[in-house]
Amino acid sequence: MVRPNAGTKGVPRLDRETQILDIASEQFGTHGFAATSVATVADKAGISKPLIYNYFGSKEGLYEACLDRGGSLLADEIERIARGEAVGIERGMATLAGMFTLLEPQPYLWRLFFDPTAPSTGAIADSIAGYAERIGKLADEGVTELMRLAGNDDPLDISAMTAVWLGIVDSLMNWWMEHPEESAEQMMQRCMRLLTALFGGDAE
Amino acid sequence: MVRPNAGTKGVPRLDRETQILDIASEQFGTHGFAATSVATVADKAGISKPLIYNYFGSKEGLYEACLDRGGSLLADEIERIARGEAVGIERGMATLAGMFTLLEPQPYLWRLFFDPTAPSTGAIADSIAGYAERIGKLADEGVTELMRLAGNDDPLDISAMTAVWLGIVDSLMNWWMEHPEESAEQMMQRCMRLLTALFGGDAE
DNA sequence: GACCTATATGACCTTTGGGTAAGTTACCAC
DNA sequence: GTGGTAACTTACCCAAAGGTCATATAGGTC
């Protein structure tokens, strides 16, 4: 039968891989791992399924490549902010600002690391755990410092507060994805206003 | 072939339905809608798949029945608390206390309403939206009042703050499910300590 | 021109899960 | 005793999705 582009020197592999990962990241990040099919990614990339399997080995391999690409961006940025001088809530706001800016062109990137339908064992789980550890470690540091300032060093309290902080970030990201017309700058200003509403003027 | 319980007057239908919903709620709430199969629910209930389809019509019908049963519990409790006199953060803490108590025997109930793998159109989506509206409406009332006290009546800010509040609740529920040894009372005390850590003594 | 490799495809296989067909029989009413 | 119904089952169907097989050929090297 006719095979449209078989036997062609098409797109160089590295370019094609980047294109595939752009589309796959958006699909996985928007719909979740389980609800995204390799066939859909291939369709949207204008290629065939076997090519994706040739390059990435499996659906999990594809997801892992997406994580590796996006995770470095995310974790590097959060680590960069953590090296700053901000502490406590100020550090939290700085982290949010950096993430809004980073994620503005690709807000779905966040969801790659917080997807309940991603595999919970194997390479993907290990990769997610690795990035979550990097991200959570910094969150934990920031939270531990804030809790220490408040005189609380209970490990379970710190763990719960870290979970709450990540839950706040997650809900803001989700709200933002439901309001894509809001810019990163507007989101940051909104966060400052919410902070002020909660703490009054001393958040300044 | 042998059909073990075919042709028996087994369990009265209402009793069997309750049993099925207990198991289905736990499976859906623990694994999510998509990752829960009707076959698994049947296995754990010790019955066959066709019986579930006979009683509930479809997988979506089964989920909807779970939502209807659990949603009334959740929404009724939150509405009961909302009729109290507490305002602002005090009301939020009262809501948490009520929910911890309600959910202690069945923490997965929360997840039925916050499952990204549940269908986003059709009857289930409508049902979830209905309960989410009841729950979110109360959250929105509480948040609107808090924001008004702070001098902020921007609708988008209120919407974002409501999302943050629900994100906090969601992250606490998830943390709790990862620490099932903690009692509802301990969770409430922990929340008070986290609150104190953030606001200092005036949260008392 | 021959050979090799890179880039690519349609067709196919297998498994899984939503759902149904056809059938069984205990219990109850008449 | 007969008929009807409720509660129930095994076997089966179909579609979808993960993944593979066999094949095509443009372009580059020798």
Side-chain angles (χ1 to χ4, degrees):
Chain A
M1 73 309 281
V2 171
R3 296 197 184 98
N5 290 328
T8 62
K9 282 286 196 178
V11 175
R13 178 168 171 159
L14 285 186
D15 291 345
R16 182 66 92 186
E17 285 191 11
T18 299
Q19 182 210 7
I20 294 170
L21 291 180
D22 284 346
I23 290 166
S25 293
E26 182 167 2
Q27 289 298 306
F28 282 130
T30 304
H31 299 105
F33 177 85
T36 298
S37 69
V38 179
T40 298
V41 175
D43 283 346
K44 289 185 183 295
I47 59 175
S48 65
K49 268 207 297 178
L51 188 57
I52 295 183
Y53 284 95
N54 185 24
Y55 286 175
F56 298 99
S58 64
K59 184 180 184 184
E60 294 204 6
L62 177 62
Y63 197 74
E64 205 178 341
C66 293
L67 288 174
D68 284 345
R69 199 178 64 147
S72 299
L73 285 174
L74 206 57
D76 285 353
E77 175 62 10
I78 295 176
E79 281 164 359
R80 183 189 69 78
I81 293 164
R83 288 195 289 274
E85 298 183 344
V87 294
I89 291 178
E90 196 179 329
R91 173 169 159 169
M93 301 310 286
T95 301
L96 278 176
M99 289 175 62
F100 285 135
T101 302
L102 177 76
L103 293 173
E104 186 156 34
Q106 47 192 349
Y108 49 78
L109 201 58
W110 172 260
R111 299 233 57 76
L112 290 179
F113 303 89
F114 297 89
D115 179 1
T117 70
S120 53
T121 60
I124 283 183
D126 291 344
S127 183
I128 289 181
Y131 289 112
E133 188 180 358
R134 275 177 81 186
I135 295 170
K137 183 170 181 285
L138 297 169
D140 193 72
E141 283 175 3
V143 165
T144 298
E145 192 171 24
L146 180 142
M147 295 287 274
R148 186 181 62 79
L149 290 172
N152 183 331
D153 58 1
D154 180 86
L156 286 182
D157 285 0
I158 291 171
S159 171
M161 183 68 100
T162 302
V164 165
W165 168 238
L166 290 173
I168 291 173
V169 175
D170 193 52
S171 60
L172 286 167
M173 294 304 161
N174 289 331
W175 190 89
W176 192 21
M177 286 190 258
E178 289 165 20
H179 299 81
E181 70 283 2
E182 301 288 315
S183 70
E185 178 63 23
Q186 284 174 307
M187 284 304 295
M188 204 48 227
Q189 288 170 358
R190 172 158 293 114
C191 287
M192 295 305 297
R193 290 197 295 277
L194 300 193
L195 197 65
T196 301
L198 280 174
F199 292 92
D202 45 334
E204 197 49 49
Chain B
M1 77 306 284
V2 171
R3 297 199 184 94
N5 290 328
T8 63
K9 282 286 196 177
V11 176
R13 178 170 170 158
L14 285 186
D15 291 343
R16 183 65 91 188
E17 285 192 11
T18 299
Q19 183 209 5
I20 293 170
L21 290 180
D22 284 346
I23 290 166
S25 292
E26 181 165 4
Q27 290 298 307
F28 282 131
T30 303
H31 299 105
F33 176 84
T36 297
S37 68
V38 179
T40 298
V41 174
D43 283 345
K44 290 185 180 296
I47 57 175
S48 65
K49 268 205 295 177
L51 189 55
I52 295 182
Y53 283 96
N54 185 23
Y55 287 175
F56 298 99
S58 65
K59 184 180 185 184
E60 294 202 7
L62 178 62
Y63 197 75
E64 207 180 337
C66 293
L67 288 174
D68 283 345
R69 199 178 62 151
S72 299
L73 285 175
L74 206 57
D76 285 353
E77 175 62 8
I78 296 177
E79 281 164 0
R80 184 189 69 77
I81 294 165
R83 288 196 288 273
E85 298 184 343
V87 295
I89 291 178
E90 198 181 326
R91 171 170 161 169
M93 301 309 285
T95 302
L96 279 176
M99 289 176 62
F100 283 135
T101 302
L102 177 76
L103 293 173
E104 187 155 33
Q106 46 191 348
Y108 49 77
L109 200 60
W110 173 260
R111 299 233 57 77
L112 291 178
F113 303 90
F114 297 90
D115 178 1
T117 71
S120 53
T121 61
I124 283 183
D126 291 344
S127 183
I128 290 181
Y131 289 112
E133 189 180 356
R134 275 177 80 188
I135 296 171
K137 184 170 181 285
L138 297 168
D140 192 70
E141 284 175 2
V143 165
T144 298
E145 191 171 25
L146 181 141
M147 296 287 274
R148 187 181 61 78
L149 290 172
N152 183 331
D153 59 0
D154 180 87
L156 285 181
D157 285 0
I158 291 171
S159 170
M161 183 67 100
T162 301
V164 166
W165 168 240
L166 289 172
I168 291 172
V169 175
D170 192 51
S171 59
L172 285 168
M173 294 304 162
N174 289 331
W175 190 89
W176 193 20
M177 287 190 256
E178 290 165 18
H179 299 81
E181 71 284 2
E182 301 288 316
S183 70
E185 180 61 23
Q186 283 173 307
M187 284 305 295
M188 203 51 226
Q189 289 170 359
R190 172 157 293 114
C191 287
M192 294 305 297
R193 289 198 295 276
L194 300 192
L195 197 65
T196 302
L198 280 175
F199 292 93
D202 46 334
E204 196 51 46

